[in-house]
């Protein structure tokens, strides 16, 4: 799954398909979180949120913001979520 998501993301980035870059970056972040790679998950999800803001997609922004907070609930210290929320 990791290889497939990475390949799909590279293709979306190469052709400039921003909507799919946002979706795939978010999905890659979710996969990283599931694998316990919290720093990678945070990086991916923090990248997906500004893309949603750029696209002006309110529903996606809310989803990305919620997803960005997910890996942070397992990180210490508890205030680590602030960096993502302020991005």
């Amino acid at each position: 799954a990791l290889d497939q998501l990475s390949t799909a993301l590279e293709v979306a980035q190469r052709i400039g398909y921003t909507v799919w870059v946002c979706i795939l970056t978010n999905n890659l972040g979710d996969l990283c979180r599931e694998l316990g790679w919290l720093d990678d998950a945070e990086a991916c999800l923090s990248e997906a949120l500004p893309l949603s803001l750029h696209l002006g997609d309110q529903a996606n922004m809310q989803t990305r913001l919620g997803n960005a907070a997910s890996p942070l609930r397992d990180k210490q210290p508890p205030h680590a979520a602030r960096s993502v929320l302020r991005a």
Side-chain angles (χ1 to χ4, degrees):
L2 184 60
D3 289 339
Q4 291 175 339
L5 273 174
S6 296
T7 299
L9 179 57
E10 288 173 19
V11 171
Q13 289 170 329
R14 191 173 30 228
I15 64 174
Y17 200 171
T18 307
V19 171
W20 277 101
V21 170
C22 182
I23 292 167
L24 293 165
T25 302
N26 181 71
N27 291 351
L28 186 58
D30 284 342
L31 179 59
C32 288
R33 181 179 48 83
E34 289 176 16
L35 293 171
W37 304 345
L38 300 181
D39 290 337
D40 293 327
E42 181 180 350
C44 288
L45 297 168
S46 295
E47 185 178 328
L49 181 60
L51 289 173
S52 289
L53 292 170
H54 172 73
L55 294 169
D57 186 338
Q58 294 291 325
N60 263 337
M61 284 187 269
Q62 293 170 1
T63 300
R64 303 298 169 248
L65 187 56
N67 288 348
S70 295
L72 298 173
R73 70 176 166 223
D74 298 326
K75 289 180 86 171
Q76 294 299 326
H79 64 275
R82 290 185 191 137
S83 66
V84 172
L85 297 176
R86 293 181 182 174

